[in-house]
Each structure stands twice: as C-alpha cells, then as structure tokens.
Amino acid sequence: MIGVGVIGYGYWGPNLVRNFAECQGAAVRMVCDLRPAQLEKVERRYPGVRTTTTPADVWNDPAVDAVVIATPVQYHFDLALASLRAGKHVLVEKPMTSTSEQASRLIEEAAARKLVLMVDHTFVYTGAVRKMRELTEAGELGDIYYYDSVRINLGLFQHDVNVLWDLAVHDLSIMDYVLRKQPVSVSATGLAHVPARPENIAYMTMFFDGSLIAHVHANWLSPVKVRRTLLSGSRRMLVFDDLEASEKIKIYDRGISLNPSPENVYQMLIGYRAGDMWAPQLAVSEALSVEAAHFVACVRDGARPETDGEAGLHVVRLLEAATESMAHQGRPVPLGSTVHS
Ligand SMILES: NC(=O)c1ccc[n+]([C@@H]2O[C@H](COP(=O)([O-])OP(=O)(O)OC[C@H]3O[C@@H](n4cnc5c(N)ncnc54)[C@H](O)[C@@H]3O)[C@@H](O)[C@H]2O)c1
C-alpha cells in the first residue's frame, strides 16, 4: 500500500484526495493546508485521514511514501524539493514550477534519489487526448500541419500568473504528449486589462522545424466558454471540443491534394477533398483516477511516468519563453535544447 500525503486543499486538492482515496493500492494518510477551515472539510469527509497546517508533518511521517502538491505554483518548487529530500515520491500540479531552472533542479534531485517525479498534466490522461496521440502515431492524420487551440471563458483572474500559465499550460501539455516534438521558437502577445495584474488575454505561436506550426489563444475575459482544438494533418483533420458531452473528438476526411498541372509541370493544382466525418469511441474514466493509478503503479514499480519531470520542464520552458516574448510585443524567443533528454 502506497501512503499518500496531499499538500494544498483548495479548489483542486479535493479532486486529488478523492481520487487517491478511491485508488487501489493507495491510502491517503495526511492532508496539509495552511487554512484550518479547509482541514475541517477533510476531517468531516475522511475521518481516518490526519490533517496538519505544517508541511513538515507530512515529510516526517514514515507512513507517507508519496507527496501530492496542489498549492499555487509559486510554492511548488520549495514543497517538491523538500518532499524529495525527505525521501518521498512527488506528484506536483501543473505548471510544475515557476522557472525552468527550478524544474531542472527537481529532475536532478529525483534522479539522484531514485524517486518518482510526476506532473499533473491532467489532459494527458483523458480518453480524448489519448485518442489524439493514438491517431497521430498510427499516421491516421498524415504529416501534422498545425495545432490550433482556443481556450477562453470568463475566468478567475489569477494574481500570480498570467493567462498562459493558467490555461495555455493545458495545450502545451497536450502538444508535448501528442506531437512528441519540441518547438524551436515561440512568439506571444498579450495584455492585462486590470492594472498591476498579469496578462488576461494572450496569443501564443510556436514554430517547429519543418512545416508544423502551433497557436494557442487563451483569455479570461470572454463572454463565452470555448475549449476547441484543431489538429490538422496532410491526410485528415481532427477537432477536439472538450465542451461536447459525447463525441469530443471528430475526425474529418477533408483536406487538399496537390496535382501537377497538365499545362505546366512546374505548377501545382490544388484539389479539395470533402469526405466523411466520424467520432471515435473514447475511454470515459475520470482522467484523475487514471492518473492516480498510474502514479501509484510508477511508485510501486519504479517506472517512469508518462508525464514525468521532463514533460513538466518542456511546458515550463515554453511558458517562460512566451512570457519573455510577450514583454517584447511578440519578439520570437528561441528555445535552446533541453538539458536533460
Ligand atoms: N490539473 C488541473 O486541471 C488543475 C485545475 C485547477 C488547478 N490546478 C492547479 O492546482 C494548483 C492549486 O490550484 P487551486 O486552484 O486549487 O488553488 P487554491 O488557491 O484554490 O488552493 C491552494 C491551497 O493551497 C494552500 N496552500 C498554499 N500554500 C501552502 C503551503 N505552503 N502549505 C500548505 N498549503 C498551502 C492554500 O491554503 C489553498 O487552500 C495550482 O498549481 C493550479 O495550477 C490544476
């Protein structure tokens, strides 16, 4: 049985506690939050789980094998590092850290101690995103031309991170998992409509080697909620609409074909293909339950998680570069190669 301690019981923490409480092979031993009122909720709902306002209690408890961190991002690094130093495996919320340097540091610490370090890139564990990867890997979409996502709503204005760190982070984790390619540079523009607050609207473009481009539009100040992603390839195109109750993924057998002109061999004629659309069957399990089971299995078997520290680092590097680009009205920021691979 893997003993789990959870630090941070605000909005997202309860989802993690519930899924680990229901996860076979795991037992929630302790929940930590700075706010006693939050802990009262834990005590009422999970009478056997100990509570504390002191993170060190979690690190000092020998019944805790793994720590799950669900605090605001600015505390992720210190809490994760201290957990690893206490010999605990770590599952940390997205985005993994506030800087790529911190992310690298956590990767090193976990590797040196042979501990599991995993990031909660929740979308990776959804049936929809797993299907996107399966179709892409099987070549069903052909060569991927673009990833284009809109993630907007009237959202909670965060005071510590801009909208890219809150919303685009999901697209970056999906791209990391589905495309398995790292952008070579990033350009972003955005604006803050509330003085002294981070940008609440942003447009982020990522350039890759070859003919692939990606774009994410994230906005907390939209009258409507949209969660729509297009993944377009040379053979087929896919639309992922997360707000659809069923049929979240639709595949379109549509696109263009290039044919040499009969009059001029150097000229290509564009032919249009408008074929069928279909919606594949998707796994319906709650993403966090799949993810909790995966984390527990990795801890038990000493395996590498699908969303490991490297995946977390890839995403933080992009967010960092995008924030730098935004400060310079979209100036492209090159991305050096990842230190680890
Ligand atoms: N994976 C997802 O889809 C998803 C969704 C929402 C939030 N999140 C992530 O979860 C994290 C938390 O977000 P939230 O919306 O729950 O925030 P929140 O502010 O609602 O909750 C954070 C909680 O952490 C507690 N806390 C802060 N510092 C602490 C410390 N040092 N020790 C113990 N407790 C501490 C606070 O008291 C608070 O209750 C963020 O990283 C966020 O990005 C992920």
Side-chain angles (χ1 to χ4, degrees), residues 161-218:
V161 290
N162 69 40
V163 68
L164 293 176
W165 289 75
D166 183 44
L167 294 181
V169 60
H170 292 302
D171 290 294
L172 306 185
S173 67
I174 295 170
M175 283 167 49
D176 190 61
Y177 180 71
V178 172
L179 303 176
R180 324 237 8 109
K181 276 184 188 165
Q182 294 303 306
V184 292
S185 66
V186 52
S187 160
T189 48
L191 213 60
H193 292 103
V194 180
R197 286 286 182 106
E199 292 84 354
N200 53 274
I201 180 167
Y203 304 92
M204 176 173 177
T205 307
M206 284 148 282
F207 304 93
F208 294 76
D209 279 332
S211 55
L212 169 63
I213 191 166
H215 185 264
V216 180
H217 167 197

Side-chain angles (χ1 to χ4, degrees), residues 6-16 32-35 38 52-55 69-76 79 92-95 120-123 156 158 161 165-166 169-170 288 291:
V6 178
I7 304 181
Y9 197 81
Y11 162 66
W12 197 243
N15 295 324
L16 292 159
C32 170
D33 199 290
L34 300 178
R35 297 183 291 166
Q38 291 303 104
T52 179
T53 52
T54 312
I69 298 163
T71 64
V73 60
Q74 60 189 303
Y75 307 113
H76 288 180
L79 294 171
V92 61
E93 260 316 313
K94 61 83 191 161
D120 177 14
H121 286 170
T122 317
F123 271 96
L156 196 64
Q158 310 276 338
V161 290
W165 289 75
D166 183 44
V169 60
H170 292 302
L288 272 188
E291 186 174 339

Side-chain angles (χ1 to χ4, degrees), residues 81-126:
L81 186 64
S83 302
L84 292 168
R85 285 183 172 159
K88 314 291 186 191
H89 303 278
V90 166
L91 169 60
V92 61
E93 260 316 313
K94 61 83 191 161
M96 180 181 177
T97 50
S98 304
T99 68
S100 51
E101 202 182 319
Q102 291 175 341
S104 297
R105 182 73 197 81
L106 292 184
I107 291 169
E108 282 163 18
E109 192 70 30
R113 294 176 182 273
K114 298 194 169 33
L115 292 166
V116 172
L117 173 62
M118 176 162 150
V119 185
D120 177 14
H121 286 170
T122 317
F123 271 96
V124 165
Y125 300 93
T126 60

Side-chain angles (χ1 to χ4, degrees), residues 271-303:
Y272 293 89
R273 199 177 64 257
D276 288 343
M277 180 275 286
W278 72 98
Q281 188 70 34
L282 304 177
V284 290
S285 321
E286 183 180 351
L288 272 188
S289 85
V290 176
E291 186 174 339
H294 179 55
F295 180 61
V296 167
C298 288
V299 169
R300 190 190 55 220
D301 306 336

Side-chain angles (χ1 to χ4, degrees), residues 304-318:
R304 191 176 179 137
E306 289 191 285
T307 52
D308 61 0
E310 293 296 338
L313 171 63
H314 291 161
V315 169
V316 172
R317 280 171 72 226
L318 283 172

